[in-house]
Amino acid sequence: MRPTLGGTVLAYQELLKEILIDEETLQERIAALGAEISRDYKEKSLHLVCILRGAVMFLTDLMRQISIPHTIDFMAISSYGAGIRKSHGQVRLTMDLKDDIGGRDVLLVEDIIDSGNTLSSVLELLTVRKPASLKVCALLDKTERREVAVPIDYCGFVIPDAFVFGYGLDLDEYYRNLPFIGIVNPQRFQPPE
Ligand code: IMP
Ligand code: MG
């Protein structure tokens, strides 16, 4: 079942089981993360690296809560095979960073850590470019589903094992614009495995 089934995209309410994290709770937590990052990186050359596309909304809100000078860049990756969520360590770089990260204090901004495979591959990829430091800021962490141990230095929320959408996260590329994180109704939408 796809939200685009029959050529029409369903209203999000038809796919939503419940709201997991509302807009106010998200914004409060992001403000706290921004303050923490601003303190920790005070004397550093903070460079935020956003992984497209899911982390876009998180990045734009987070950077407005960071009070120290910093720069941003973007990269895009995809798992092998369309609709495959678990990449088993295999990710493909579909868009590289614009700038060299050598000698910079890189903070990777991710939407959600599930098995950990994606993050683990990205960290490997960036480590060889010799940043001064490399840390991770993830909005959501599904700890129960972890297959590979990954370091998460800044975490927004630990969430249960449910497929979520909104606030950057998609269902078949739609609903990224929702200002909250919702749990999908499994009877209406089968998440990719
Ligand atoms: P991992 O490699 O298994 O950690 O998967 C991470 C990626 O899977 C994320 O960047 C998302 O693109 C996707 N993903 C995992 N869980 C969800 C979810 O609940 N909703 C939407 N995307 C998800
Ligand atoms: Mg993602």
Side-chain angles (χ1 to χ4, degrees):
M1 279 174 284
R2 314 272 64 138
T4 51
L5 196 70
T8 32
V9 182
L10 299 173
Y12 79 83
Q13 289 91 341
E14 298 191 51
L15 298 160
L16 183 70
K17 185 176 164 225
E18 62 188 279
I19 292 180
L20 180 65
I21 310 169
D22 65 25
E23 185 173 4
E24 194 187 340
T25 310
L26 275 173
Q27 295 302 332
E28 266 176 30
R29 182 72 190 116
I30 293 167
L33 284 173
E36 197 184 336
I37 292 165
S38 304
R39 280 194 302 275
D40 295 352
Y41 284 85
K42 210 170 179 175
E43 312 296 332
K44 298 190 169 161
S45 60
L46 176 61
H47 187 56
L48 301 175
V49 166
C50 173
I51 303 182
L52 296 173
R53 287 175 271 226
V56 162
M57 211 183 278
F58 179 37
L59 172 87
T60 57
D61 281 338
L62 180 67
M63 63 189 291
R64 279 178 282 190
Q65 300 293 341
I66 295 177
S67 57
I68 57 165
H70 62 276
T71 51
I72 63 169
D73 204 350
F74 298 88
M75 66 189 286
I77 47 167
S78 72
S79 304
Y80 283 107
I84 290 177
R85 161 162 75 129
K86 276 200 282 176
S87 54
H88 299 288
Q90 296 297 301
V91 298
R92 194 163 47 93
L93 194 61
T94 55
M95 191 192 93
D96 203 347
L97 297 169
K98 200 92 175 161
D99 299 331
D100 188 9
I101 56 165
R104 304 172 88 161
D105 292 296
V106 173
L107 183 58
L108 206 56
V109 179
E110 247 291 40
D111 50 0
I112 183 165
I113 315 299
D114 189 23
S115 69
N117 284 311
T118 307
L119 179 62
S120 162
S121 307
V122 172
L123 287 174
E124 234 170 76
L125 207 107
L126 296 183
T127 301
V128 296
R129 300 183 187 185
K130 305 252 181 294
S133 66
L134 179 56
K135 291 195 171 185
V136 177
C137 177
L139 180 65
L140 307 172
D141 180 3
K142 279 192 205 172
T143 39
E144 282 172 50
R145 290 178 49 92
R146 200 59 36 82
E147 293 170 10
V148 189
V150 280
I152 306 177
D153 304 279
Y154 303 92
C155 171
F157 303 88
V158 171
I159 63 165
D161 178 14
F163 204 73
V164 294
F165 70 111
Y167 198 75
L169 294 149
D170 71 303
L171 296 181
D172 286 350
E173 292 302 326
Y174 289 94
Y175 315 111
R176 294 188 194 272
N177 58 306
L178 300 175
F180 54 80
I181 300 282
I183 295 182
V184 79
N185 179 346
Q187 263 118 51
R188 307 298 299 270
F189 181 89
Q190 249 86 63
E193 269 313 325

